[in-house]
Amino acid sequence: LSDGKYALREAKPEFYYPIFVSSDLSKISIEEFDDSFVVYPITDLGIERTWKTKPQTFLDYFKAGNIEAIQENGKIVIYEKLRENQVIKTHWLRKEYHAYHFGTKPLENILGTKEFSFPKSIHTVLDTLKLTTKDSEIILDYFAGSGTTAHAVINLNREDKGNRQYILVEQGEYFDTVLKPRVQKVIYSQEWKDGKPVPSDKVSGSLNGVPQIVKVLKLESYEDTLNNLELRRSGLFDRLNEQVQHDYLLHYMLNIESRDSLLNVSHFAKPFDYGLNISTTSAGAYDWQKVDLVETFNYLIGATVIGVDDKRTKKGFVAVECRLPNQNSDEKTLIFWRDCERIGYDELQKQFDRLGISPADSEYSQVYVNGDHTLETVWDGEQSGSLKIRSIEAEFLALMFAGDE
């Protein structure tokens, strides 16, 4: 059975065909015979995929003795056998690399139910990491799937006391039902059975949990952007023909008139309450959710964070010390977010005085502040000739629409 989006039935229909198997599993054919059972490349979740070969090639493999049928969990499964003298050196032959016994079954035990087809064997990823990483590196899995990579990193750190970190990227809907719960559970306990934690040490009863902080970042999707557009139509727009309306919408309204709704800078006066309508279903339903403008701006500006003083709840501000890509190790930038209703013109200066922040000195190369203010600023002394105190809103807009001109 093939895997991946290009192995779906609609992508390669000629690779989707029935295979007939006798009740004792000794006879296999692509033509129906008496008392045979039919097998299609369909997953346990009902997804129609494809076989790895076309029918004639499958028959050739079978005649060469490289195909076998076995019973797994009450169903017939077709396998291609790899004989050691036929396999090139890059194939790994340990039984621990078997995807069902060391991928599917462990995941079922962690979650308590079968929620994901064809997870990789955790040992395949573990051994790959042992060969390719050191004990303090960052591992990126750009197609995270069920989260096997994170699971392997966590277990390998358990094994050798390493400090590896992982970054997972996934857009599938199973992120919330499979990937995140799996990571949460394997952090809490090393062993699981039927969805329940099992002590790793029978004597002490220890679950062998590990301390871990996991940050989840959700990116705004195209559909989310559309949900938050507020286009201003004039009466003239409705009198245009359909094609002209379409072209105008794509080339002008979405590009120019929607900018205020893509980033409504007036909302930056209360940045800790900023939010967007986020899609919850494919039918167009959405929920209003908060957006972390502080974190978003850090990424937009390319900040390497040195320290964060987060007093948004108690005092209405967040101060971020960071280093920007064009700064050396002796330079720093301050990003100061405030609730402008709680910290107005006079309060801002007083807050800076209390924190010992003076734009005139050399502690910070730049100071970014949101909202209007009356702070006294100076030139940054660099060739750019910019003021040291800069507007968060102006920089945010410039970075969001960079390259649009």
Side-chain angles (χ1 to χ4, degrees):
L1 187 64
S2 294
D3 198 5
K5 66 179 181 179
Y6 297 110
L8 296 174
R9 179 181 181 179
E10 58 266 27
K12 298 196 301 183
E14 67 273 23
F15 286 76
Y16 182 88
Y17 52 88
I19 295 175
F20 299 94
V21 182
S22 63
S23 58
D24 63 358
L25 308 180
S26 63
K27 183 178 180 181
I28 301 176
S29 175
I30 59 173
E31 295 181 357
E32 187 175 6
F33 56 89
D34 291 342
D35 299 323
S36 61
F37 295 90
V38 64
V39 182
Y40 281 97
I42 301 176
T43 72
D44 292 339
L45 299 179
I47 300 172
E48 294 182 334
R49 305 194 75 87
T50 62
W51 301 116
K52 290 184 178 180
T53 66
K54 292 182 178 180
Q56 185 55 52
T57 306
F58 174 83
L59 285 178
D60 293 340
Y61 281 9
F62 177 66
K63 291 175 182 177
N66 294 331
I67 299 293
E68 70 174 342
I70 65 173
Q71 284 272 2
E72 280 189 358
N73 289 341
K75 61 181 292 187
I76 298 175
V77 180
I78 309 296
Y79 275 109
E80 177 188 358
K81 294 188 293 186
L82 296 174
R83 302 183 187 281
E84 192 162 359
N85 61 353
Q86 296 174 326
V87 179
I88 59 176
K89 293 180 180 180
T90 55
H91 276 81
W92 293 6
L93 301 175
R94 289 177 55 201
K95 62 181 178 61
E96 287 83 1
Y97 303 145
H98 193 285
Y100 175 76
H101 296 295
F102 297 95
T104 301
K105 286 303 295 181
L107 184 57
E108 286 182 22
N109 278 324
I110 292 169
L111 300 177
T113 59
K114 183 164 185 177
E115 300 283 349
F116 190 89
S117 295
F118 306 113
K120 295 183 290 292
S121 164
I122 187 172
H123 297 287
T124 304
V125 183
L126 267 170
D127 287 352
T128 301
L129 294 177
K130 288 178 181 178
L131 291 171
T132 60
T133 69
K134 298 177 182 178
D135 62 4
S136 60
E137 292 188 327
I138 299 175
I139 292 91
L140 168 65
D141 188 342
Y142 202 76
F143 299 93
S146 69
T148 307
T149 296
H151 191 171
V153 172
I154 292 167
N155 276 6
L156 189 54
N157 283 339
R158 276 190 177 108
E159 181 181 314
D160 64 8
K161 309 302 180 185
N163 191 34
R164 299 169 189 82
Q165 300 177 69
Y166 51 86
I167 299 173
L168 308 181
V169 181
E170 183 52 64
Q171 64 177 4
E173 60 185 15
Y174 45 80
F175 174 87
D176 290 310
T177 59
V178 177
L179 193 156
K180 188 168 73 170
R182 180 182 191 174
V183 173
Q184 291 172 315
K185 286 192 168 190
V186 298
I187 288 171
Y188 179 74
S189 175
Q190 184 171 0
E191 304 293 339
W192 290 82
K193 180 69 174 177
D194 297 328
K196 298 178 181 179
V198 177
S200 301
D201 188 329
K202 305 300 182 183
V203 177
S204 67
S206 171
L207 297 175
N208 202 14
V210 293
Q212 194 117 142
I213 296 175
V214 178
K215 179 183 289 187
V216 177
L217 300 177
K218 293 188 177 182
L219 302 183
E220 180 184 357
S221 71
Y222 175 73
E223 290 76 13
D224 296 332
T225 301
L226 294 182
N227 281 338
N228 291 278
L229 292 179
E230 297 173 2
L231 302 177
R232 301 181 298 275
R233 297 187 179 189
S234 65
L236 174 62
F237 179 86
D238 294 323
R239 291 195 292 271
L240 300 173
N241 68 54
E242 185 177 344
Q243 183 59 47
V244 175
Q245 285 185 3
H246 177 75
D247 291 342
Y248 181 72
L249 179 67
L250 289 180
H251 297 115
Y252 182 73
M253 290 183 78
L254 287 179
N255 187 40
I256 303 299
E257 292 192 6
S258 65
R259 286 194 177 191
D260 284 345
S261 56
L262 285 170
L263 182 69
N264 192 332
V265 294
S266 66
H267 293 171
F268 278 44
K270 292 182 69 65
F272 313 126
D273 297 330
Y274 192 86
L276 294 172
N277 292 320
I278 305 300
S279 299
T280 56
T281 70
S282 58
Y286 55 81
D287 285 335
W288 187 90
Q289 295 182 20
K290 279 191 175 182
V291 173
D292 193 333
L293 290 180
V294 176
E295 187 89 1
T296 301
F297 189 60
N298 288 345
Y299 284 111
L300 274 176
I301 206 169
T304 298
V305 176
I306 300 171
V308 178
D309 186 9
D310 193 333
K311 298 288 195 309
R312 70 182 75 192
T313 302
K314 291 184 178 180
K315 298 184 178 180
F317 76 85
V318 175
V320 179
E321 279 195 347
C322 64
R323 187 167 294 113
L324 301 185
N326 62 341
Q327 293 179 328
N328 61 44
S329 58
D330 296 324
E331 295 178 298
K332 289 190 300 184
T333 288
L334 176 70
I335 306 172
F336 192 87
W337 292 88
R338 77 195 206 269
D339 182 333
C340 295
E341 292 184 5
R342 298 176 63 182
I343 303 178
Y345 293 102
D346 295 336
E347 281 301 314
L348 179 59
Q349 183 62 62
K350 292 177 182 177
Q351 194 64 255
F352 269 31
D353 292 342
R354 282 193 289 267
L355 296 173
I357 300 170
S358 174
D361 63 26
S362 59
E363 182 179 5
Y364 299 111
S365 299
Q366 291 100 28
V367 177
Y368 286 92
V369 180
N370 69 301
D372 295 334
H373 60 82
T374 56
L375 295 170
E376 184 178 353
T377 186
V378 295
W379 297 100
D380 63 8
E382 302 294 332
Q383 293 181 353
S384 63
S386 300
L387 293 174
K388 289 188 71 172
I389 297 184
R390 304 183 185 181
S391 165
I392 288 177
E393 290 90 332
E395 189 73 10
F396 217 119
L397 271 171
L399 292 170
M400 272 195 67
F401 297 107
D404 280 1
E405 304 302 331

